[in-house]
Amino acid sequence: MENRRYKWNNQQLRNHVKVLDGEKQPSIILKNATYLNSYLSRWDTANIWIDGDRIVYVGDDLPANVRETEIIDCEGKYLVPGYIEPHAHPYQEYNPLAFAKYAAQFGTTTLINDNLVLFVLLNPEKAFDLLEELDKTPYNMYWWCRFDPQTELSNHGEIFHTTDILQWLRHESVVQGGELTAWPKLLEGDDHLLSWIQEAKRLNKRIEGHFPGASERTLAKLKLLGADCDHEAMTGREALARLKQGYYVSLRDSSIRPDLDILIKELLELGVQKFDRFFVTTDGSHPYFYENGMTDALIKKLINHGVPVIDAYQMASYNIANYYNLEHLHGSIATGRIANINILGDPKNPAPESVLAKGKWVKWNGGALHDASRIDWAAYRFSPLSLKWSLTGEDFHFANPLGIHLINNVITKPYETDLDLDCDGLPPDHDECFLMMVAKDGSWRINTVVKGFAENLGGLASSYSGPEDLLLIGKNKQDMRLAFERMKEIGGGIVLAEDGQIIHEIPLPLIGRMSDLEMEALIPLEKKMIRLLKERGFRHEDPAFTLSFFSATHLPFIRLTPHGLYDVKNRKVLVPPEKRQITLI
């Protein structure tokens, strides 16, 4: 096992003991608490002493000296460990701090976060400074170490190299490698990937899979190469197939894969009665999906489908902490653990009335408490996009009939249009649109068409896409150009234009990917965007995922990448990008 720094220093540990010796008062006592005993899987009653951010005693006793201690009588309430999100993508229009603040209001006090954006944008030293800043907030954040970018980057080897990968893997806040979106390369003999997996295993850290549709034999091979868990099961039988090969199984309910109802129903029908190798995730959904809850909503679904109440809570707390080797800090209400505690009015209603995060009240009696935590994002290169170039009339020349057929939110197929693209606008009697991907530095573009995105969309411009590119979609080239200019003006975001007017925008001033708003303000902006797109023919659930995954080569079948229009299965460029003449402004 790696040499991790213990969370509390010697003086803090001595002070925790002084509380038990009566030499120091606890900061909070939760008195007469009916709490979930994660080790006995039952409800017990105790008095819980908290000193700062740590639980220092759980038992029958009360301290003699409580003159300055906050005492909460929990008679009639139920206490459960703070929930853990095991698979968060904290850059889905929101930023990591805004997401953590919001999640805590629903009892999710710990996040296991994707590091992809930090890995691509920052050198390790600067990224680790940001991790340290985030650790000063009341929210618990752990991180993955990505091994691949899930797209074809022009400078892949410069970013994903062993030196930086190992620095991340060895960081004390990093608890896993993955997710393994490049698993086909691993099976084909990529020893760089395998050596990084081996190092993660040497450090006693987990490997997260991303194996949609994998056969039993493929799952077995990937297990032999080091995978520990997978969140891509879409049916009960697929979940059992992973369990039989020795995996932990993360059951997903997200904005593009709301699978939990099906998974639990089928697992129960298949006779599953033991749940200690299962947990639940919302898999980095977009803001609108979280309007009415987060992990608490998944626990509620488990309970409603007949999963035993205590098992449902364990699947959102103890099971996850145990899996990630964090049980000494998280997942239970016990001496020595971080004071992350949810207070419930009814054990069958997992939405908490009050929430303690690192021993601080972040919610009390149903109301959010002010948290002054902030991050100077500009200090970490999270600034508005500055595009010092413009599109020209030549950029809107579309000629190649090869295009992308959008089947659902993210799955695509190749197709060939028979439309005349040499026009200023396409008619609204079909679902084909112009589609342009252009480099953020203005050096190249790809012009194609997309079928199945919308029927009557004037123009959309988005910086919420791949790390190297921008997207324009629409029927009308003038509206597309107008949306692009407005997106530039606001420093990045998603902009809709129609009939020469801007009709909606979601500003994303943090590198064109993230908002600086709190979630409560961001959710209605996204909901309006979805409504407007659906009114214009978008037939799927989550357009933001569609935009961000146009370049995602871990999904079939046709993608837009800096290398061109790309056939994922055959690893072949169908249409190369065109170089642009950049006119700086």
Side-chain angles (χ1 to χ4, degrees), residues 115-116 119-120 122-125 128 143-149 156-171 174 176-180 191-200 203 205 207:
N115 79 325
L116 181 58
F119 191 92
V120 171
L122 303 176
N123 64 49
E125 291 76 15
F128 298 158
W143 299 85
W144 324 346
C145 174
R146 282 277 193 161
F147 296 157
D148 70 273
H156 181 281
E158 297 173 19
I159 296 176
F160 287 86
H161 57 80
T162 296
T163 301
D164 284 359
I165 294 283
L166 295 186
Q167 278 191 263
W168 271 93
L169 275 178
R170 291 166 184 168
H171 192 275
V174 171
Q176 74 171 14
E179 57 185 302
L180 292 180
D191 276 341
H192 286 294
L193 277 172
L194 187 55
S195 66
W196 299 336
I197 291 170
Q198 289 281 66
E199 179 63 9
L203 294 168
K205 299 185 179 185
I207 297 296

Side-chain angles (χ1 to χ4, degrees), residues 387 389-392 395-396 460-461 472 478-492 495 497 502 505 580 585:
L387 305 179
W389 51 272
S390 283
L391 295 173
T392 67
D395 289 313
F396 288 88
L460 177 150
L472 285 78
Q478 291 303 314
D479 284 336
M480 293 166 67
R481 192 168 182 175
L482 176 63
F484 173 79
E485 290 300 324
R486 179 57 181 167
M487 185 267 293
K488 279 177 52 181
E489 185 180 345
I490 62 176
V495 178
I502 302 300
E505 61 190 39
R580 296 183 67 251
I585 56 173

Side-chain angles (χ1 to χ4, degrees), residues 70-247:
E70 180 183 7
I71 300 176
I72 307 297
D73 192 340
C74 297
E75 185 76 38
K77 305 295 182 183
Y78 294 82
L79 278 61
V80 296
Y83 311 139
I84 304 172
E85 169 51 72
H87 190 98
H89 299 271
Y91 325 101
Q92 306 290 63
E93 298 178 33
Y94 40 76
N95 65 69
L97 179 57
F99 185 55
K101 285 183 180 182
Y102 186 77
Q105 295 305 305
F106 297 98
T108 301
T109 54
T110 302
L111 304 170
I112 314 293
N113 286 329
D114 182 2
N115 79 325
L116 181 58
V117 171
L118 303 187
F119 191 92
V120 171
L121 187 69
L122 303 176
N123 64 49
E125 291 76 15
K126 196 68 174 176
F128 298 158
D129 287 343
L130 176 56
L131 267 56
E132 188 173 335
E133 284 294 303
L134 289 167
D135 193 50
K136 295 174 183 176
T137 71
Y139 318 107
N140 303 263
M141 298 192 202
Y142 299 91
W143 299 85
W144 324 346
C145 174
R146 282 277 193 161
F147 296 157
D148 70 273
Q150 68 186 37
T151 189
E152 301 298 311
L153 295 178
S154 59
N155 57 346
H156 181 281
E158 297 173 19
I159 296 176
F160 287 86
H161 57 80
T162 296
T163 301
D164 284 359
I165 294 283
L166 295 186
Q167 278 191 263
W168 271 93
L169 275 178
R170 291 166 184 168
H171 192 275
E172 62 191 1
S173 295
V174 171
V175 295
Q176 74 171 14
E179 57 185 302
L180 292 180
T181 56
W183 59 270
K185 293 180 181 179
L186 177 64
L187 290 179
E188 292 165 7
D190 188 322
D191 276 341
H192 286 294
L193 277 172
L194 187 55
S195 66
W196 299 336
I197 291 170
Q198 289 281 66
E199 179 63 9
K201 307 298 280 190
R202 187 188 71 79
L203 294 168
N204 200 34
K205 299 185 179 185
R206 296 295 193 172
I207 297 296
E208 170 75 4
H210 179 99
F211 310 143
S215 68
E216 183 180 64
R217 184 161 296 189
T218 295
L219 290 169
K221 290 177 183 178
L222 291 164
K223 182 64 181 172
L224 291 173
L225 293 174
D228 294 299
C229 178
D230 183 58
H231 60 282
E232 290 290 334
M234 301 176 198
T235 67
R237 291 195 181 278
E238 288 184 355
L240 280 187
R242 285 154 174 77
L243 199 69
K244 288 177 180 179
Q245 298 306 320
Y247 287 79

Side-chain angles (χ1 to χ4, degrees), residues 20 72 138 182 216 250 303 330 404 463 507 551 565:
L20 292 178
I72 307 297
E216 183 180 64
S250 188
I303 293 171
H330 298 283
I404 295 174
S463 60
S551 61
L565 187 62

